[in-house]
Amino acid sequence: MKERILQKTGRIREYLSIVISLKPDCQEKFSTDPVYRGAMLHYLYLISDSCISLAEIVIKYKGLRPPQSYHEAFDILGDANILDNDFAYSFAKIAGFRNFLAYDYEIVDAELICKEVLRQLDDVKEFIDQIEQQGAGYV
């Protein structure tokens, strides 16, 4: 289980670095280059899905109650003081973003991704940092 947590945090960091490398000229490229758009959406999906998976792995490792939804996984980590409660509540929106990318990706516009979403990448870093800080026994 520890290996899975380490592996997942490593993957999330890898995906983040790829998305960060795609940030320059995002709005123009996202609107005009379908390969760029596809890559950006794919890696954002991988980040959001991997954060959910990491939350579920930590929940199982810590023996916490299983979540009934992706969103609830972050609430459980907040309730268990693995994540800051306010941060957990706010970060849980990544579950909805993941579903949006999975099912409504055709209506995503450049401004939403390039201005709003990319500005929030630090939240993903904060999520990993809090997991690592609270889980010295597995990270």
Side-chain angles (χ1 to χ4, degrees):
M1 189 71 72
K2 292 178 187 182
E3 288 297 317
R4 288 185 64 210
I5 293 170
L6 288 171
Q7 199 173 47
K8 193 61 74 176
T9 57
R11 288 292 166 115
I12 295 169
R13 288 187 195 283
E14 176 187 337
Y15 302 149
L16 272 173
S17 69
I18 292 168
V19 167
I20 290 166
S21 76
L22 292 172
K23 281 176 80 171
D25 303 318
C26 178
Q27 211 159 345
E28 179 186 336
K29 290 178 184 175
F30 194 88
S31 298
T32 61
D33 183 346
V35 174
Y36 176 91
R37 176 186 169 99
M40 180 64 83
L41 292 175
H42 175 72
Y43 282 105
L44 289 172
Y45 175 84
L46 289 175
I47 289 169
S48 58
D49 193 60
S50 295
C51 286
I52 294 165
S53 295
L54 178 58
E56 291 172 338
I57 292 166
V58 171
I59 287 167
K60 186 173 183 180
Y61 181 79
K62 293 288 193 175
L64 304 172
R65 66 180 171 83
Q68 299 299 309
S69 68
Y70 294 148
H71 186 279
E72 187 182 21
F74 300 99
D75 293 339
I76 291 169
L77 293 179
D79 292 343
N81 294 317
I82 293 168
L83 296 177
D84 173 80
N85 235 341
D86 290 337
F87 176 80
Y89 177 78
S90 173
F91 191 69
K93 65 185 173 220
I94 199 167
F97 181 66
R98 178 245 177 240
N99 290 337
F100 176 73
L101 289 174
Y103 302 109
D104 295 323
Y105 59 89
E106 293 171 0
I107 61 170
V108 175
D109 72 352
E111 188 167 340
L112 172 70
I113 295 298
C114 299
K115 289 189 176 179
E116 298 301 318
V117 173
L118 295 184
R119 194 176 59 206
Q120 297 177 35
L121 292 178
D122 286 342
D123 288 350
V124 175
K125 293 176 192 172
E126 179 65 23
F127 170 66
I128 294 170
D129 289 347
Q130 286 191 33
I131 293 289
E132 290 174 345
Q133 288 170 4
Q134 292 299 319
Y138 53 76
V139 179

